[in-house]
Amino acid sequence: ELKVEQNPLFLSMQEGKNYTIYCNYSTTSDRLYWYRQDPGKSLESLFVLLSNGAVKQEGRLMASLDTKARLSTLHITAAVHDLSATYFCAVDSSPSGTYKYIFGTGTRLKVLA
Amino acid sequence: SAVISQKPSRDICQRGTSLTIQCQVDSQVTMMFWYRQQPGQSLTLIATANQGSEATYESGFVIDKFPISRPNLTFSTLTVSNMSPEDSSIYLCSVELAGGPYEQYFGPGTRLTVT
């Protein structure tokens, strides 16, 4: 059974600092997704990573995927308060033709002014 | 992308009753999914709903408790039956668009409280 773990679970950081959130998964997959969730809100898609070595960047966030290590990272550069949210990774665990996401535990990020 | 609406947005229900949650999408989609998110927790897939076939339930979820309908390519319902306080959660539907880009789009969620 696929398991997806994130660390840290909670992250409090100062504005302007850099940090990385890690997403490890236990079985082979080459499709990984990052989502953001604000309190009381639904999920917003951030990144879609579909192959080994994929790297995507949007603003202060950069995501990468290493399928051999079964690891994805979400790097935050020069954090700002607006990035405070919960971040989830999700791994597509299914054979081609059906899409079954297993979500990570989530990382609750708080950026302090 | 897709625009997804859910009804109701929230409800407070009594133990033993049932609630049906509706999910409407603004375009035709093949795959629709129902998730549960308990307070402060991650998302857990309840079932996958494909039009024209029975829903596929994940381990720990059964049709008698969570019956799902998918009458067409833009609409689905999830019923939470014989509710108990443990069913208090946010229920989210999501869709995957045919032909890519192979990501799921989520509805706004239904916040259910069972007393």
Coordinates of all heavy atoms in Angstrom, one line a residue, chain B residues 27-109:
Chain B
S27 N -18.0 21.5 -17.0 CA -17.6 20.8 -18.2 C -17.7 19.3 -18.0 O -17.7 18.9 -16.9 CB -16.2 21.2 -18.6 OG -15.3 20.9 -17.6
Q28 N -17.8 18.6 -19.1 CA -17.9 17.2 -19.0 C -16.6 16.5 -18.6 O -15.5 16.8 -19.2 CB -18.4 16.6 -20.3 CG -19.8 17.0 -20.7 CD -20.3 16.4 -21.9 OE1 -19.5 15.8 -22.7 NE2 -21.6 16.4 -22.2
V29 N -16.6 15.7 -17.6 CA -15.4 15.0 -17.1 C -15.7 13.6 -17.0 O -16.8 13.1 -16.7 CB -15.0 15.6 -15.7 CG1 -14.6 17.1 -15.9 CG2 -16.0 15.4 -14.7
T30 N -14.6 12.8 -17.1 CA -14.8 11.3 -17.0 C -14.7 10.9 -15.6 O -15.5 10.1 -15.1 CB -13.7 10.6 -17.8 OG1 -13.8 11.0 -19.2 CG2 -13.9 9.1 -17.8
M31 N -13.7 11.4 -14.9 CA -13.4 11.0 -13.5 C -13.9 12.0 -12.5 O -13.5 13.2 -12.6 CB -11.9 10.8 -13.4 CG -11.2 10.0 -14.5 SD -11.6 8.3 -14.4 CE -10.7 7.8 -12.9
M32 N -14.6 11.5 -11.5 CA -15.0 12.3 -10.4 C -14.6 11.6 -9.1 O -14.7 10.3 -9.1 CB -16.5 12.7 -10.4 CG -16.9 13.6 -11.6 SD -18.6 14.1 -11.5 CE -18.5 15.4 -10.3
F33 N -14.2 12.3 -8.1 CA -13.7 11.7 -6.9 C -14.4 12.3 -5.7 O -14.7 13.5 -5.7 CB -12.2 11.8 -6.8 CG -11.4 11.3 -8.0 CD1 -11.2 12.2 -9.1 CD2 -10.9 10.1 -8.1 CE1 -10.5 11.8 -10.2 CE2 -10.2 9.6 -9.2 CZ -10.0 10.5 -10.2
W34 N -14.5 11.5 -4.7 CA -15.0 12.1 -3.4 C -14.0 11.8 -2.3 O -13.5 10.7 -2.2 CB -16.3 11.4 -3.0 CG -17.5 11.9 -3.8 CD1 -18.0 11.3 -4.9 CD2 -18.2 13.1 -3.6 NE1 -19.1 12.1 -5.4 CE2 -19.2 13.2 -4.6 CE3 -18.2 14.2 -2.7 CZ2 -20.1 14.3 -4.7 CZ3 -19.1 15.2 -2.8 CH2 -20.0 15.3 -3.8
Y35 N -13.7 12.9 -1.6 CA -12.7 12.8 -0.5 C -13.3 13.2 0.8 O -14.3 14.0 0.9 CB -11.5 13.7 -0.7 CG -10.6 13.3 -1.9 CD1 -10.9 13.7 -3.2 CD2 -9.4 12.6 -1.6 CE1 -10.0 13.3 -4.2 CE2 -8.6 12.3 -2.6 CZ -8.9 12.6 -3.9 OH -8.0 12.2 -4.9
R36 N -12.7 12.8 1.9 CA -13.1 13.2 3.2 C -11.8 13.8 3.9 O -10.7 13.3 3.8 CB -13.6 12.1 4.1 CG -14.0 12.5 5.5 CD -14.7 11.4 6.2 NE -13.7 10.3 6.6 CZ -14.0 9.2 7.3 NH1 -15.3 9.0 7.5 NH2 -13.1 8.4 7.6
Q37 N -12.0 15.0 4.5 CA -10.9 15.6 5.3 C -11.4 15.9 6.7 O -12.2 16.8 6.9 CB -10.5 16.9 4.6 CG -9.3 17.5 5.2 CD -8.7 18.8 4.5 OE1 -9.5 19.5 3.9 NE2 -7.5 19.0 4.7
Q38 N -10.9 15.1 7.6 CA -11.3 15.4 9.0 C -10.5 16.5 9.5 O -9.5 16.9 9.0 CB -11.1 14.1 9.8 CG -12.0 13.0 9.3 CD -11.9 11.7 10.0 OE1 -10.8 11.1 10.1 NE2 -13.0 11.1 10.6
P39 N -11.1 17.2 10.6 CA -10.5 18.4 11.1 C -9.0 18.3 11.3 O -8.5 17.4 12.0 CB -11.2 18.7 12.4 CG -12.6 18.0 12.2 CD -12.3 16.8 11.4
G40 N -8.2 19.2 10.6 CA -6.8 19.3 10.8 C -6.0 18.1 10.2 O -4.8 17.9 10.5
Q41 N -6.7 17.3 9.4 CA -6.1 16.1 8.8 C -5.9 16.3 7.3 O -6.3 17.3 6.7 CB -6.9 14.9 9.1 CG -7.2 14.7 10.6 CD -5.9 14.4 11.3 OE1 -5.0 13.6 10.9 NE2 -5.7 15.0 12.5
S42 N -5.3 15.3 6.7 CA -5.1 15.2 5.3 C -6.4 14.7 4.6 O -7.4 14.5 5.3 CB -3.9 14.3 5.0 OG -3.7 14.3 3.6
L43 N -6.3 14.5 3.3 CA -7.5 14.1 2.6 C -7.4 12.5 2.4 O -6.3 12.0 2.1 CB -7.5 14.7 1.2 CG -8.0 16.1 1.1 CD1 -6.9 17.1 1.6 CD2 -8.4 16.5 -0.3
T44 N -8.6 11.9 2.5 CA -8.7 10.5 2.3 C -9.7 10.2 1.2 O -10.8 10.7 1.3 CB -9.1 9.8 3.6 OG1 -8.2 10.0 4.6 CG2 -9.2 8.3 3.3
L45 N -9.3 9.5 0.2 CA -10.2 9.2 -0.9 C -11.3 8.2 -0.5 O -11.0 7.1 0.1 CB -9.4 8.6 -2.1 CG -10.2 8.2 -3.3 CD1 -10.8 9.4 -4.0 CD2 -9.3 7.4 -4.3
I46 N -12.5 8.6 -0.7 CA -13.7 7.7 -0.4 C -13.9 6.8 -1.5 O -14.0 5.6 -1.4 CB -14.9 8.5 -0.1 CG1 -14.7 9.4 1.2 CG2 -16.1 7.6 0.1 CD1 -15.8 10.4 1.4
A47 N -14.1 7.4 -2.7 CA -14.5 6.6 -3.9 C -14.3 7.3 -5.2 O -14.2 8.6 -5.1 CB -16.0 6.2 -3.8
T48 N -14.2 6.6 -6.2 CA -14.1 7.1 -7.6 C -15.4 6.9 -8.3 O -15.9 5.7 -8.3 CB -12.9 6.5 -8.3 OG1 -11.7 6.7 -7.6 CG2 -12.8 7.1 -9.7
A49 N -15.9 7.9 -8.9 CA -17.3 7.8 -9.5 C -17.1 8.0 -11.0 O -16.8 9.1 -11.5 CB -18.2 8.8 -8.9
N50 N -17.3 7.0 -11.8 CA -17.3 7.1 -13.2 C -18.7 7.0 -13.8 O -19.5 6.2 -13.3 CB -16.5 6.0 -13.9 CG -15.0 6.2 -13.5 OD1 -14.5 7.3 -13.2 ND2 -14.3 5.1 -13.5
Q51 N -19.0 7.8 -14.8 CA -20.4 7.8 -15.3 C -20.6 6.5 -16.0 O -19.8 6.0 -16.7 CB -20.5 9.0 -16.4 CG -21.9 9.3 -16.8 CD -22.3 8.5 -18.0 OE1 -21.5 8.1 -18.8 NE2 -23.6 8.4 -18.3
G52 N -21.8 5.9 -15.7 CA -22.2 4.7 -16.3 C -21.7 3.5 -15.6 O -22.0 2.3 -16.1
S53 N -21.1 3.6 -14.5 CA -20.6 2.4 -13.8 C -20.8 2.6 -12.3 O -20.9 3.8 -11.8 CB -19.2 2.0 -14.2 OG -18.3 3.0 -13.8
E54 N -20.7 1.5 -11.6 CA -20.7 1.7 -10.1 C -19.5 2.4 -9.6 O -18.4 2.2 -10.2 CB -20.8 0.3 -9.5 CG -22.1 -0.5 -9.8 CD -23.3 0.1 -9.0 OE1 -23.1 0.6 -7.9 OE2 -24.4 0.0 -9.5
A55 N -19.6 3.1 -8.5 CA -18.5 3.8 -7.9 C -17.5 2.7 -7.3 O -18.0 1.6 -6.9 CB -19.0 4.7 -6.8
T56 N -16.3 3.1 -7.3 CA -15.2 2.2 -6.8 C -14.8 2.7 -5.4 O -14.3 3.9 -5.3 CB -14.0 2.1 -7.7 OG1 -14.4 1.6 -9.0 CG2 -13.0 1.2 -7.1
Y57 N -15.0 2.0 -4.4 CA -14.8 2.4 -3.0 C -13.4 2.0 -2.5 O -12.9 0.9 -2.8 CB -15.9 1.9 -2.1 CG -17.2 2.6 -2.3 CD1 -18.1 2.1 -3.3 CD2 -17.6 3.7 -1.5 CE1 -19.3 2.7 -3.5 CE2 -18.8 4.3 -1.8 CZ -19.7 3.8 -2.8 OH -20.9 4.4 -3.0
E58 N -12.8 2.9 -1.7 CA -11.5 2.6 -1.1 C -11.8 1.8 0.2 O -12.9 1.7 0.7 CB -10.8 3.9 -0.8 CG -10.5 4.7 -2.0 CD -9.6 3.9 -3.0 OE1 -8.6 3.3 -2.6 OE2 -10.0 3.8 -4.2
S59 N -10.7 1.2 0.6 CA -10.7 0.4 1.8 C -11.2 1.2 3.0 O -10.8 2.4 3.2 CB -9.3 -0.2 2.2 OG -9.3 -0.9 3.4
G60 N -12.2 0.7 3.7 CA -12.7 1.4 4.9 C -14.0 2.2 4.6 O -14.6 2.7 5.5
F61 N -14.4 2.2 3.3 CA -15.6 2.9 2.9 C -16.5 1.9 2.2 O -16.0 1.2 1.3 CB -15.3 4.1 2.0 CG -14.4 5.2 2.7 CD1 -13.0 5.2 2.6 CD2 -15.0 6.1 3.5 CE1 -12.3 6.1 3.2 CE2 -14.2 7.1 4.2 CZ -12.9 7.1 4.0
V62 N -17.8 1.9 2.5 CA -18.7 1.0 1.9 C -19.9 1.7 1.3 O -20.3 2.8 1.8 CB -19.2 -0.1 2.9 CG1 -18.0 -0.9 3.3 CG2 -19.9 0.6 4.1
I63 N -20.5 1.1 0.3 CA -21.6 1.7 -0.4 C -22.8 2.0 0.5 O -23.5 3.0 0.3 CB -22.0 0.8 -1.6 CG1 -23.0 1.6 -2.5 CG2 -22.5 -0.5 -1.2 CD1 -23.2 0.9 -3.9
D64 N -23.1 1.1 1.4 CA -24.3 1.3 2.3 C -24.1 2.6 3.1 O -25.1 3.2 3.4 CB -24.5 0.1 3.2 CG -24.9 -1.1 2.4 OD1 -25.3 -1.0 1.3 OD2 -24.8 -2.2 3.0
K65 N -22.9 2.9 3.5 CA -22.7 4.1 4.3 C -22.6 5.4 3.4 O -23.0 6.5 3.8 CB -21.4 3.9 5.1 CG -21.0 5.1 5.9 CD -21.9 5.4 7.1 CE -21.4 6.5 7.9 NZ -22.4 6.9 9.0
F66 N -21.9 5.2 2.2 CA -21.6 6.4 1.4 C -22.1 6.1 -0.1 O -21.3 6.0 -1.0 CB -20.1 6.7 1.4 CG -19.6 7.1 2.7 CD1 -18.9 6.1 3.5 CD2 -19.7 8.4 3.2 CE1 -18.3 6.5 4.7 CE2 -19.2 8.7 4.4 CZ -18.5 7.8 5.1
P67 N -23.4 6.0 -0.3 CA -23.8 5.7 -1.7 C -23.5 6.9 -2.5 O -23.7 8.1 -2.1 CB -25.3 5.5 -1.5 CG -25.7 6.0 -0.1 CD -24.5 5.9 0.7
I68 N -23.1 6.6 -3.8 CA -22.7 7.7 -4.7 C -23.5 7.5 -6.0 O -23.8 6.3 -6.5 CB -21.2 7.6 -5.0 CG1 -20.4 8.0 -3.8 CG2 -20.9 8.4 -6.3 CD1 -18.9 7.8 -4.0
S69 N -24.0 8.6 -6.6 CA -24.6 8.5 -7.9 C -23.8 9.3 -8.9 O -23.2 10.3 -8.5 CB -26.1 9.0 -7.8 OG -26.1 10.4 -7.8
R70 N -23.8 8.9 -10.1 CA -23.1 9.7 -11.2 C -24.0 9.6 -12.4 O -23.7 8.8 -13.4 CB -21.7 9.1 -11.4 CG -20.9 9.8 -12.5 CD -20.3 11.0 -12.0 NE -19.9 11.8 -13.2 CZ -18.7 11.7 -13.8 NH1 -17.9 10.8 -13.4 NH2 -18.4 12.5 -14.8
P71 N -25.1 10.4 -12.5 CA -26.0 10.2 -13.6 C -25.5 10.7 -14.9 O -26.1 10.3 -16.0 CB -27.2 11.0 -13.1 CG -26.7 12.0 -12.1 CD -25.5 11.3 -11.5
N72 N -24.6 11.7 -14.9 CA -24.1 12.2 -16.2 C -22.7 12.7 -16.0 O -22.1 12.5 -14.9 CB -25.0 13.3 -16.7 CG -25.2 14.4 -15.7 OD1 -24.2 15.0 -15.2 ND2 -26.4 14.8 -15.4
L73 N -22.1 13.3 -17.0 CA -20.7 13.7 -17.0 C -20.4 15.0 -16.3 O -19.2 15.4 -16.2 CB -20.2 13.8 -18.5 CG -20.2 12.5 -19.3 CD1 -19.8 12.7 -20.7 CD2 -19.2 11.5 -18.6
T74 N -21.4 15.6 -15.7 CA -21.1 16.9 -15.0 C -21.6 16.9 -13.6 O -21.5 17.9 -12.9 CB -21.8 18.1 -15.8 OG1 -23.2 17.9 -15.8 CG2 -21.3 18.2 -17.2
F75 N -22.2 15.8 -13.1 CA -22.9 15.8 -11.8 C -22.7 14.5 -11.1 O -22.6 13.4 -11.7 CB -24.4 16.1 -12.1 CG -25.2 16.3 -10.8 CD1 -25.1 17.5 -10.1 CD2 -25.9 15.2 -10.3 CE1 -25.9 17.7 -9.0 CE2 -26.7 15.4 -9.1 CZ -26.7 16.6 -8.5
S76 N -22.5 14.6 -9.7 CA -22.4 13.5 -8.9 C -23.0 13.9 -7.5 O -23.0 15.0 -7.1 CB -21.0 13.0 -8.7 OG -20.9 11.9 -7.9
T77 N -23.5 12.8 -6.8 CA -23.9 13.1 -5.4 C -23.2 12.0 -4.5 O -23.0 10.9 -4.9 CB -25.4 13.0 -5.2 OG1 -25.8 11.7 -5.5 CG2 -26.1 14.0 -6.1
L78 N -23.0 12.4 -3.3 CA -22.5 11.6 -2.2 C -23.5 11.7 -1.1 O -23.8 12.8 -0.6 CB -21.1 12.0 -1.8 CG -20.6 11.3 -0.5 CD1 -20.1 9.9 -0.8 CD2 -19.4 12.1 0.1
T79 N -24.0 10.6 -0.6 CA -24.8 10.6 0.6 C -24.1 10.0 1.8 O -23.4 9.0 1.6 CB -26.1 9.7 0.3 OG1 -26.8 10.3 -0.8 CG2 -27.0 9.7 1.5
V80 N -24.1 10.7 2.9 CA -23.6 10.2 4.1 C -24.8 9.7 4.9 O -25.7 10.5 5.3 CB -22.8 11.3 4.9 CG1 -22.1 10.7 6.1 CG2 -21.8 11.9 4.0
S81 N -24.8 8.4 5.1 CA -26.0 7.7 5.7 C -25.9 7.4 7.2 O -24.7 7.2 7.7 CB -26.3 6.4 4.9 OG -26.5 6.6 3.6
N82 N -27.0 7.4 7.9 CA -27.0 7.0 9.3 C -25.8 7.7 10.0 O -25.0 7.0 10.6 CB -27.0 5.5 9.4 CG -27.2 5.1 10.8 OD1 -27.8 5.8 11.7 ND2 -26.7 3.9 11.1
M83 N -25.8 9.0 10.0 CA -24.6 9.7 10.5 C -24.4 9.6 12.0 O -25.3 9.5 12.8 CB -24.8 11.2 10.1 CG -24.6 11.4 8.6 SD -24.6 13.2 8.1 CE -26.4 13.5 8.3
S84 N -23.1 9.6 12.3 CA -22.7 9.7 13.7 C -21.7 10.9 13.8 O -21.2 11.4 12.8 CB -22.0 8.4 14.1 OG -20.8 8.2 13.4
P85 N -21.4 11.3 15.0 CA -20.4 12.4 15.2 C -19.1 12.2 14.5 O -18.4 13.1 14.1 CB -20.3 12.5 16.7 CG -21.6 12.1 17.2 CD -22.0 11.0 16.3
E86 N -18.7 10.9 14.3 CA -17.4 10.6 13.7 C -17.4 10.9 12.2 O -16.4 11.0 11.6 CB -17.1 9.1 13.8 CG -16.8 8.7 15.3 CD -18.0 8.7 16.2 OE1 -19.1 8.4 15.7 OE2 -17.8 9.0 17.4
D87 N -18.6 11.2 11.6 CA -18.7 11.6 10.2 C -18.5 13.1 10.0 O -18.5 13.6 8.9 CB -20.1 11.2 9.7 CG -20.3 9.7 9.6 OD1 -19.3 9.0 9.3 OD2 -21.4 9.2 9.9
S88 N -18.4 13.8 11.1 CA -18.1 15.3 11.0 C -16.8 15.5 10.3 O -15.7 15.1 10.8 CB -18.1 15.9 12.4 OG -19.4 15.7 13.0
S89 N -16.8 16.1 9.2 CA -15.7 16.3 8.3 C -16.0 17.3 7.2 O -17.1 17.7 7.1 CB -15.3 15.0 7.6 OG -14.8 14.0 8.5
I90 N -15.0 17.6 6.4 CA -15.2 18.3 5.2 C -15.2 17.2 4.1 O -14.3 16.4 4.0 CB -14.1 19.3 4.9 CG1 -14.2 20.4 6.0 CG2 -14.4 20.0 3.6 CD1 -13.0 21.3 6.0
Y91 N -16.2 17.3 3.2 CA -16.3 16.4 2.1 C -16.1 17.2 0.8 O -16.7 18.2 0.6 CB -17.7 15.7 2.1 CG -17.9 14.7 3.2 CD1 -18.3 15.2 4.5 CD2 -17.5 13.4 3.1 CE1 -18.4 14.3 5.6 CE2 -17.6 12.5 4.2 CZ -18.1 13.0 5.4 OH -18.2 12.2 6.5
L92 N -15.1 16.7 0.0 CA -14.7 17.4 -1.2 C -14.9 16.5 -2.4 O -14.6 15.3 -2.4 CB -13.3 17.9 -1.1 CG -12.9 18.8 0.0 CD1 -12.1 18.1 1.0 CD2 -12.1 20.0 -0.5
C93 N -15.4 17.1 -3.5 CA -15.4 16.4 -4.7 C -14.3 16.9 -5.6 O -13.9 18.1 -5.4 CB -16.7 16.4 -5.5 SG -17.2 18.0 -6.1
S94 N -13.7 16.1 -6.4 CA -12.7 16.6 -7.4 C -13.0 16.0 -8.7 O -13.7 15.0 -8.8 CB -11.3 16.3 -6.9 OG -11.0 14.9 -7.0
V95 N -12.4 16.6 -9.8 CA -12.5 16.0 -11.1 C -11.2 16.0 -11.8 O -10.3 16.8 -11.4 CB -13.5 16.9 -11.9 CG1 -14.8 16.9 -11.2 CG2 -13.0 18.3 -12.2
E96 N -11.0 15.1 -12.7 CA -9.9 15.1 -13.6 C -10.3 15.3 -15.0 O -11.2 14.5 -15.4 CB -9.1 13.8 -13.4 CG -7.9 13.7 -14.3 CD -6.7 13.1 -13.7 OE1 -6.7 12.8 -12.5 OE2 -5.7 12.8 -14.4
L97 N -9.8 16.2 -15.7 CA -10.2 16.6 -17.0 C -9.7 15.5 -18.0 O -8.5 15.1 -18.0 CB -9.8 18.0 -17.4 CG -10.2 19.1 -16.5 CD1 -9.7 20.4 -17.1 CD2 -11.8 19.1 -16.4
A98 N -10.5 15.1 -19.0 CA -10.1 14.2 -20.0 C -9.0 14.8 -20.8 O -9.1 16.0 -21.2 CB -11.3 13.8 -20.9
G99 N -8.0 14.1 -21.2 CA -6.9 14.5 -22.0 C -5.9 15.4 -21.3 O -5.0 15.9 -22.0
G100 N -5.9 15.4 -20.0 CA -4.8 16.1 -19.3 C -5.3 17.4 -18.8 O -6.4 17.8 -19.1
P101 N -4.5 18.2 -18.1 CA -3.1 17.9 -17.8 C -2.9 17.0 -16.6 O -1.9 17.2 -15.9 CB -2.6 19.3 -17.5 CG -3.8 20.0 -16.8 CD -5.0 19.5 -17.5
Y102 N -3.7 16.1 -16.4 CA -3.5 15.0 -15.4 C -3.4 15.6 -14.0 O -2.5 15.2 -13.2 CB -2.3 14.2 -15.7 CG -2.3 13.6 -17.2 CD1 -1.4 14.1 -18.1 CD2 -3.3 12.7 -17.6 CE1 -1.5 13.6 -19.4 CE2 -3.4 12.3 -18.9 CZ -2.4 12.7 -19.8 OH -2.5 12.3 -21.1
E103 N -4.3 16.5 -13.7 CA -4.3 16.9 -12.3 C -5.8 17.0 -11.9 O -6.7 17.2 -12.7 CB -3.7 18.3 -12.1 CG -4.3 19.4 -12.9 CD -3.5 20.7 -12.7 OE1 -3.4 21.1 -11.5 OE2 -3.1 21.3 -13.7
Q104 N -6.0 16.9 -10.6 CA -7.4 17.0 -10.1 C -7.7 18.4 -9.6 O -6.9 19.1 -9.0 CB -7.6 16.0 -8.9 CG -7.6 14.6 -9.4 CD -7.9 13.6 -8.3 OE1 -8.5 13.9 -7.3 NE2 -7.5 12.3 -8.5
Y105 N -8.9 18.8 -9.9 CA -9.4 20.1 -9.5 C -10.5 19.9 -8.4 O -11.3 19.0 -8.6 CB -10.0 20.9 -10.6 CG -9.0 21.2 -11.7 CD1 -8.8 20.4 -12.8 CD2 -8.2 22.4 -11.6 CE1 -7.9 20.6 -13.8 CE2 -7.3 22.6 -12.6 CZ -7.1 21.8 -13.7 OH -6.2 22.0 -14.7
F106 N -10.4 20.7 -7.3 CA -11.2 20.4 -6.2 C -12.4 21.4 -6.1 O -12.2 22.6 -6.3 CB -10.4 20.4 -4.9 CG -9.6 19.2 -4.7 CD1 -8.4 19.0 -5.4 CD2 -10.0 18.1 -3.9 CE1 -7.6 17.8 -5.3 CE2 -9.3 16.9 -3.8 CZ -8.1 16.8 -4.5
G107 N -13.5 20.9 -5.6 CA -14.6 21.8 -5.3 C -14.4 22.5 -4.0 O -13.4 22.2 -3.3
P108 N -15.3 23.4 -3.6 CA -15.1 24.2 -2.4 C -15.3 23.4 -1.1 O -14.9 23.9 0.0 CB -16.1 25.3 -2.5 CG -17.1 24.7 -3.4 CD -16.4 23.8 -4.3
G109 N -15.9 22.2 -1.2 CA -16.1 21.4 0.0 C -17.4 21.6 0.7 O -18.0 22.7 0.6

